[in-house]
Amino acid sequence: MTIETEEQLERLRRIGGIVAAVCRLMGSRLEPGMTTRELDEIGRAALEREGSRPAPSLMYGFPGATCISVNHAVAHGVPDDTRLAPGDMVNIDVSAERDGVFADTGASFVVPPARADQERLCRSTRKALNRAVQAVRPGRRLNIIGHTIERTASADGYTVIRNLGSHGVGDSLHDEVPGFIPGYYDRDDRRIMTQGLVFTIEPFLSTGATQADEQGDGWTLATAPGIMTAQYEHTLVVGRRGAIVVTV
């Protein structure tokens, strides 16, 4: 999607604000003993109250309104009867459509109490996201995003999950333009950021993994048990002077 009018931008801001608020709500409701299906129902109800439709089920027939991935599960976790326990790391990914426009956001949370190593991983991943957002400018190569994420991860002692990354969004959940944007530096990627272009930035920082593999349910992507991964995600527009983040 490329934003060309204020009306388009307003629609994107509206759905961006909705998914961001729902993600925050779900994170605030985490508690030991609840199931991921119960957490998903909180998200589904909130999305429906705002007149939006969950994108994973709308686009791909995903068996849930949101993706909820626990511990070594990294992404696309299916809400089910898994009960959350103190110290579980939970990634919540919320994407939805309203008025023909899609937005996507996500964040990692820890069911209290959090350990110091979990908090450190989450801080580093948020730092990688913020630095990558600050690097957005018209005319720059898209690969500066992966370069920034990888450099931040390496400096803090983490790896990057290389088969998951940022992507185009707006007209659909995964727009063909600009397509997949790696979370690592690809020197051969010559794509340029153009004003109005809409995409996500979503670093996946890990305590040792570089790959997340599909599990038996056909959806969930996970690393080996014992490895932690955090993810944070914004949807943004390339503005004249930098990124316009809509998932706030």
Side-chain angles (χ1 to χ4, degrees), residues 25-82:
L25 171 66
M26 293 174 68
S28 73
R29 298 286 292 275
L30 282 174
E31 61 181 46
M34 77 185 311
T35 68
T36 56
R37 181 176 285 114
E38 289 170 337
L39 182 61
D40 182 64
E41 284 303 316
I42 292 171
R44 181 190 301 277
L47 289 171
E48 290 177 351
R49 284 196 299 270
E50 296 294 338
S52 59
R53 297 186 292 173
S57 55
L58 178 65
M59 295 288 299
Y60 302 113
F62 181 77
T66 65
C67 299
I68 304 173
S69 307
V70 182
N71 292 328
H72 70 284
V74 175
H76 307 162
V78 177
D80 59 16
D81 293 326
T82 299

Side-chain angles (χ1 to χ4, degrees), residues 18 41 73 83 110 138 169 174 201 236:
I18 289 170
E41 284 303 316
R83 291 197 177 274
V110 179
V169 69
H174 296 98
I201 296 181
L236 59 86

Side-chain angles (χ1 to χ4, degrees), residues 8-248:
Q8 283 180 306
L9 180 58
E10 181 55 35
R11 282 191 289 144
L12 185 65
R13 285 188 188 275
R14 185 178 302 122
I15 188 59
I18 289 170
V19 296
V22 172
C23 188
R24 288 192 297 269
L25 171 66
M26 293 174 68
S28 73
R29 298 286 292 275
L30 282 174
E31 61 181 46
M34 77 185 311
T35 68
T36 56
R37 181 176 285 114
E38 289 170 337
L39 182 61
D40 182 64
E41 284 303 316
I42 292 171
R44 181 190 301 277
L47 289 171
E48 290 177 351
R49 284 196 299 270
E50 296 294 338
S52 59
R53 297 186 292 173
S57 55
L58 178 65
M59 295 288 299
Y60 302 113
F62 181 77
T66 65
C67 299
I68 304 173
S69 307
V70 182
N71 292 328
H72 70 284
V74 175
H76 307 162
V78 177
D80 59 16
D81 293 326
T82 299
R83 291 197 177 274
L84 300 177
D88 280 348
M89 180 169 282
V90 182
N91 180 264
I92 300 173
D93 194 298
V94 182
S95 55
E97 176 272 341
R98 178 175 161 167
D99 299 325
V101 180
F102 291 76
D104 192 1
T105 194
S108 292
F109 303 87
V110 179
V111 182
R115 301 191 311 268
D117 59 342
Q118 293 172 318
E119 293 177 337
R120 181 176 179 272
L121 174 61
C122 289
R123 281 198 304 270
S124 183
T125 309
R126 287 194 298 268
K127 179 169 63 175
L129 171 61
N130 292 334
R131 287 180 174 177
V133 168
Q134 291 166 8
V136 170
R137 293 285 190 283
R140 284 187 173 175
R141 287 189 180 181
L142 274 166
N143 64 9
I144 195 173
I145 293 168
H147 185 58
T148 302
I149 291 170
E150 188 173 39
R151 186 169 55 187
T152 302
S154 179
D156 288 351
Y158 298 115
T159 55
V160 171
I161 302 294
R162 295 173 71 89
N163 64 318
L164 290 167
S166 312
H167 57 87
V169 69
D171 288 327
S172 67
L173 181 54
H174 296 98
D175 284 359
E176 292 184 4
V177 178
F180 179 75
I181 305 169
Y184 58 89
Y185 181 49
D186 179 0
R187 66 178 64 252
D188 296 323
D189 186 350
R190 299 184 177 278
R191 292 175 295 172
I192 300 295
M193 299 183 213
T194 54
Q195 187 171 328
L197 187 65
V198 183
F199 54 88
T200 72
I201 296 181
E202 48 179 313
F204 291 82
L205 270 58
S206 176
T207 57
T210 58
Q211 181 86 12
D213 298 317
E214 188 175 292
Q215 304 301 290
D217 61 12
W219 296 100
T220 305
L221 297 173
T223 64
I227 294 178
M228 293 188 301
T229 302
Q231 178 253 23
Y232 292 87
E233 176 182 15
H234 275 314
T235 293
L236 59 86
V237 183
V238 180
R240 280 190 302 169
R241 296 180 178 87
I244 303 169
V245 177
V246 299
T247 44
V248 292

